[in-house]
């Protein structure tokens, strides 16, 4: 089998908040157009890892970062245009953050920031992203209402639409289902199955079964170290490589 | 955990707090309600007091409201030709205030954005202390600066005959309003949730886009409050403008003309006017006029903000 090209390479990444190291030198790759599931108990460094990839980590005072994160072969610490890097990556936070704007403006925000002015172009893009996020039919008649007026699940899909609006190559989702109901979760999972055809997805999830359902490969991150990273059918089998994986996946600890 | 026996006993004594706690809470609630209402009472009370002092002039025969509002002739102490026209004073107040705001609002909001978003933590601490110090300078001192330093600077640089004029008063008022605008504006920006910042940055915005498209709109109510308090300070300021504007009844035609403001007129003349004379009452009527101007400004700003929010 030919290994697909790598989109993200993480090499010996160490991250510390002040004196407290929370990621202890991990290395892994994310392949093009795969869904990489990341599971692990709270506080194991999943969110921090995502923030290293799009470099929003640098807004936290006192962080120290060693090692390298490469996106498309380019070290993110050394990229010339960090804004372009961030536009390459769509980020969905655990709790939906509706910017205090209308539904339309939320989705049109990033395109406008990168200079798209034409009304028809924006209209088209907004519709496309809302459709991709399976939200279009529910909001198409009230694009001008505030995004915060939507229900939690709708808001989460709105943030997904917004993350898609700058046409990223990589989509990172951080425990997106933490505050939404199972039905909406399943709808978004369907959305992700569609999106995987077009982009690379890192799916950090608190629901072990979600990784099993969606991820091509799954990484078990625990206390800032990779316990196991393998094809999902291996990780979720009766005999993963590490005993702790089996115990975590089956709810014996964690 | 498993002992269920005491549950009937619990049922016989309803879960209630002692009587005094309930009463105390009610009392506290009333006190708080009173505090809230007292703000309204004070405003109404002040308005009533000022208006009551001014009212007799309104019904007296030798006074015309038209003249009061639209005449530029202010000869309150003249023996033969008494005139109570405040147009020049109103225009003087507005000229100085508008100039002060044109200078102070962009500068103050800019500084607020800088302090809140662009500077490092050390510099931020220093700047905040300095700004608070600036806000605490008494207005007489500002007036003194206007009368001495600013006057010479203006006379030297513009060649104006007298350095106490609209420009001088406007600059002094701007300097007095800026600290208020900065500190309240900075609070308003700080109150914008960090999650907005993170979300916008993750979308690839630059710092400027973040400020202009997210932070300023999100903080607009607080920023408007900052500007309004600045305007309030400028309109209500007396001592500094009395000293810095030249105190000449005059409709200004350029920045270098001296003017007189409503507040300065009250301050300068109320002591001399015999109690319950027409002059005395007209000065109180000027107070009512000031009240009205600030009220209209606040109301307009409020409606504007509401309009923006609806949009
Ligand atoms: N801004 C921060 N400042 C200091 N410590 C942090 C910060 N964010 C996260 N941490 C610490 O980093 C560790 C990993 O956190 P996080 O990346 O949020 O894990 P997860 O997303 O897996 O729950 C935790 O121990 C947490 O306390
Ligand atoms: Mg997390």
């Amino acid at each position: 089998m030919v290994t697909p090209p790598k989109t993200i390479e993480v090499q010996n990444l160490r991250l510390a908040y002040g004196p407290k190291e929370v990621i202890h030198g991990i290395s892994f790759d994310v392949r093009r157009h795969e869904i990489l599931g990341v599971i692990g108990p709270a506080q194991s460094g999943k969110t921090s890892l995502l923030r290293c990839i799009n470099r929003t980590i640098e807004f936290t005072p006192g962080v120290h970062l060693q090692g390298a994160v490469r996106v498309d072969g380019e070290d993110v610490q050394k990229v010339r245009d960090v804004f372009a890097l961030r536009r390459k990556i769509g980020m969905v936070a655990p709790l939906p953050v509706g910017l205090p704007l209308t539904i339309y403006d939320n989705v049109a925000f990033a395109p406008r920031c990168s200079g798209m002015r034409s009304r028809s172009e924006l209209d088209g893009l907004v519709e496309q992203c809302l459709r991709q996020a399976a939200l279009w039919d529910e909001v198409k008649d009230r694009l001008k209402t505030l995004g915060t007026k939507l229900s939690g699940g709708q808001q989460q899909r709105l943030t997904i639409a917004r993350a898609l609006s700058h046409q990223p190559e990589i989509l990172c989702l951080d425990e997106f289902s933490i505050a939404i109901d199972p039905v909406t979760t399943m709808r978004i999972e369907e959305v992700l199955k569609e999106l995987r055809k077009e982009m690379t997805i890192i799916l950090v999830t608190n629901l072990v079964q979600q990784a099993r359902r969606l991820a091509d490969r799954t990484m078990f991150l625990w206390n800032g170290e990779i316990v196991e990273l393998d094809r999902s059918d291996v990780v979720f089998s009766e005999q993963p490589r590490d005993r702790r994986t089996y115990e975590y996946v089956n709810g014996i600890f964690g | 955990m498993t002992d269920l026996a005491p549950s009937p006993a619990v049922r016989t004594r309803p879960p209630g707090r002692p009587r005094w706690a309930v009463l105390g809470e009610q009392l506290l609630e009333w006190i708080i309600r009173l505090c809230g209402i007292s703000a309204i009472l004070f405003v109404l009370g002040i308005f009533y007091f000022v208006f009551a002092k001014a009212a007799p002039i309104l019904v007296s025969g030798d006074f015309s409201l038209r003249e009061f509002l639209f005449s530029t002739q202010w000869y309150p102490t003249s023996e033969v030709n008494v005139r109570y026209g405040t147009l020049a004073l109103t225009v003087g107040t507005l000229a100085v205030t508008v100039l002060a705001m044109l200078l102070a609002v962009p500068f103050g909001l800019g500084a607020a954005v800088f302090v809140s978003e662009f500077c490092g933590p050390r510099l931020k601490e220093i700047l905040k202390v300095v700004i608070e110090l600036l806000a605490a300078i008494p207005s007489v001192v500002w007036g003194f600066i206007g009368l001495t330093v600013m006057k010479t600077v203006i006379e030297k640089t513009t060649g104006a005959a007298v350095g106490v004029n609209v420009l001088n008063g406007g600059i002094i008022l701007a300097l007095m309003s800026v600290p208020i605008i900065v500190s309240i504006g900075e609070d308003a920006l700080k109150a914008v949730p960090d999650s907005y910042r993170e979300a916008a940055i993750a979308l690839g915005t630059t710092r400027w886009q973040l400020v202009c498209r997210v932070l300023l709109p999100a903080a607009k109510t607080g920023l408007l409050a900052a500007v309004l308090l600045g305007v309030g300070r400028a309109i209500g300021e007396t001592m500094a403008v009395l000293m810095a504007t030249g105190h000449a009844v005059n409709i200004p035609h350029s920045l270098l003309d001296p003017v007189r403001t409503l507040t300065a007129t009250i301050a300068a003349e109320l002591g001399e006017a015999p109690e319950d004379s027409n002059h005395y009452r007209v000065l109180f009527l000027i107070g009512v006029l000031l009240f009205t101007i600030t009220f209209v400004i606040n109301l307009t700003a409020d409606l504007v903000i509401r309009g923006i929010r609806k949009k």
Side-chain angles (χ1 to χ4, degrees):
Chain A
M1 202 181 99
V2 206
T3 338
K6 301 161 186 170
T7 301
I8 301 175
E9 290 168 85
V10 173
Q11 255 175 15
N12 209 9
L13 177 72
R14 283 178 186 278
L15 178 78
Y17 291 103
K20 184 171 133 211
E21 190 174 272
V22 299
I23 295 180
H24 312 291
I26 60 174
S27 305
F28 64 95
D29 302 330
V30 187
R31 297 169 193 160
R32 201 169 164 73
H33 291 194
E34 77 166 340
I35 297 187
L36 176 72
V38 181
I39 58 173
Q43 311 278 296
S44 49
K46 307 182 295 295
T47 302
S48 307
L49 174 62
L50 292 185
R51 294 179 66 217
C52 292
I53 297 175
N54 76 346
R55 255 182 72 178
T56 46
I57 193 82
E58 67 195 26
F59 294 100
T60 309
V63 295
H64 290 285
L65 198 147
Q66 283 170 33
V69 177
R70 276 190 275 276
V71 173
D72 288 336
E74 234 185 331
D75 189 338
V76 298
Q77 296 300 318
K78 295 176 192 141
V79 290
R80 222 179 310 126
D81 185 355
V82 66
F83 308 111
L85 168 78
R86 293 198 183 114
R87 283 196 289 273
K88 235 187 238 182
I89 303 165
M91 189 64 79
V92 176
L95 298 175
V97 183
L99 292 171
L101 303 168
T102 64
I103 296 173
Y104 185 98
D105 291 339
N106 258 289
V107 184
F109 181 84
R112 279 183 181 142
C113 282
S114 45
M116 190 186 280
R117 286 279 168 277
S118 137
R119 185 80 207 185
S120 59
E121 232 179 317
L122 279 171
D123 284 350
L125 186 64
V126 168
E127 177 173 346
Q128 180 201 328
C129 295
L130 286 170
R131 274 188 196 285
Q132 276 181 310
L135 190 59
W136 175 251
D137 290 327
E138 286 160 59
V139 301
K140 62 170 183 263
D141 302 320
R142 46 178 174 145
L143 293 173
K144 298 284 166 217
T145 53
L146 276 180
T148 42
K149 295 261 161 67
L150 296 173
S151 76
Q154 289 173 324
Q155 283 195 43
Q156 192 58 293
R157 276 176 286 159
L158 180 60
T159 58
I160 292 178
R162 198 175 61 196
L164 296 173
S165 67
H166 42 97
Q167 293 161 315
E169 296 168 20
I170 302 161
L171 184 63
C172 299
L173 298 113
D174 189 1
E175 307 193 333
F176 74 85
S177 51
I178 204 157
I180 56 183
D181 62 283
V183 178
T184 315
T185 304
M186 294 314 286
R187 289 198 64 176
I188 297 179
E189 287 189 14
E190 293 307 314
V191 169
L192 296 182
K193 283 182 195 160
E194 285 300 310
L195 288 175
R196 78 178 339 151
K197 294 171 194 155
E198 301 160 39
M199 57 189 75
T200 310
I201 297 177
I202 301 182
L203 175 69
V204 170
T205 176
N206 54 323
L207 305 173
V208 170
Q209 297 307 324
Q210 191 168 63
R212 176 184 235 158
R213 285 193 292 269
L214 294 173
D216 301 288
R217 295 188 306 149
T218 295
M219 176 162 98
F220 176 31
L221 193 65
W222 187 56
N223 270 343
E225 304 195 35
I226 299 177
V227 174
E228 183 145 359
L229 168 58
D230 213 323
R231 292 206 322 272
S232 293
D233 53 347
V234 176
V235 171
F236 294 103
S237 70
E238 290 300 308
Q239 269 126 8
R241 230 169 281 171
D242 196 298
R243 177 102 204 120
R244 287 172 293 173
T245 313
Y246 180 82
E247 291 179 350
Y248 179 72
V249 166
N250 291 284
I252 298 171
F253 89 95
Chain B
M1 274 306 222
T2 51
D3 187 11
L4 293 172
S7 63
V10 171
R11 220 174 290 141
T12 54
R13 230 187 80 200
R17 289 169 309 145
R19 220 177 130 67
W20 61 265
V22 177
L23 281 179
E25 193 167 292
Q26 275 173 357
L27 185 71
L28 216 66
E29 208 179 299
W30 269 104
I31 293 176
I32 288 172
R33 193 169 293 168
L34 210 69
C35 295
I37 294 172
S38 69
I40 302 174
L41 287 183
F42 282 134
V43 172
L44 288 181
I46 292 170
F47 188 81
Y48 171 78
F49 167 76
V50 175
F51 192 76
K53 286 271 183 188
I57 188 86
L58 288 175
V59 289
S60 84
D62 47 350
F63 173 82
S64 124
L65 191 63
R66 225 187 122 89
E67 181 194 290
F68 175 75
L69 290 176
F70 301 114
S71 161
T72 59
Q73 296 180 314
W74 177 256
Y75 308 128
T77 50
S78 160
E79 297 278 319
V80 283
N81 186 23
V82 176
R83 285 278 180 276
Y84 298 119
T86 59
L87 187 65
L89 309 179
T90 310
V91 172
T93 292
L94 293 182
V96 177
T97 308
V98 166
L99 177 65
M101 286 303 115
L102 285 180
L103 298 172
V105 169
F107 195 75
L109 292 184
V113 168
F114 176 76
V115 172
S116 146
E117 305 300 323
F118 287 85
C119 74
R122 288 275 297 283
L123 184 59
K124 186 176 190 154
E125 282 313 305
I126 298 172
L127 280 176
K128 283 174 84 164
V129 170
V130 172
I131 287 162
E132 252 141 58
L133 264 178
L134 271 179
I137 295 179
S139 64
V140 180
V141 175
W142 283 115
F144 181 70
I145 293 172
L147 204 53
T148 54
V149 182
M150 200 60 82
K151 178 169 176 268
T152 9
V153 170
I154 287 177
E155 279 166 5
K156 285 236 172 74
T157 50
T158 64
V162 270
V164 281
N165 47 29
V166 177
L167 183 62
N168 192 333
I171 293 174
I172 291 295
L173 281 188
L175 287 172
M176 292 174 73
S177 311
V178 160
I180 295 179
I181 298 180
V182 177
S183 63
I184 295 176
E186 199 250 341
D187 283 346
L189 287 168
K190 203 167 58 189
V192 176
D194 274 341
S195 59
Y196 289 180
R197 294 187 177 82
E198 282 245 354
I201 286 167
L203 288 168
T205 54
T206 62
R207 253 172 166 188
W208 274 114
Q209 290 170 332
L210 175 68
V211 168
C212 300
R213 290 163 189 251
V214 178
L215 299 180
L216 292 184
K220 60 176 180 276
T221 321
L223 294 176
L224 184 84
V227 169
L228 278 184
L229 282 170
V231 173
R233 170 139 212 209
I235 286 192
E237 177 47 44
T238 306
M239 216 21 136
V241 286
L242 182 64
M243 292 161 85
T245 54
H247 208 58
V249 183
N250 176 26
I251 291 215
H253 295 284
S254 87
L255 289 180
L256 300 177
D257 285 349
V259 289
R260 192 202 271 206
T261 63
L262 294 166
T263 48
T265 306
I266 299 179
E269 294 179 10
L270 194 59
E272 325 269 271
E275 200 164 332
D276 293 328
S277 65
N278 277 351
H279 185 193
Y280 183 84
R281 287 175 181 150
V282 165
L283 289 177
F284 273 92
L285 200 58
I286 292 181
V288 175
L289 183 62
L290 267 172
F291 234 120
T292 316
I293 294 176
T294 22
F295 182 72
V296 167
I297 291 175
N298 278 336
L299 197 70
T300 322
D302 211 48
L303 291 177
V304 167
I305 273 291
R306 245 168 249 210
I308 297 173
R309 207 178 288 160
K310 220 175 265 164
K311 220 177 88 196

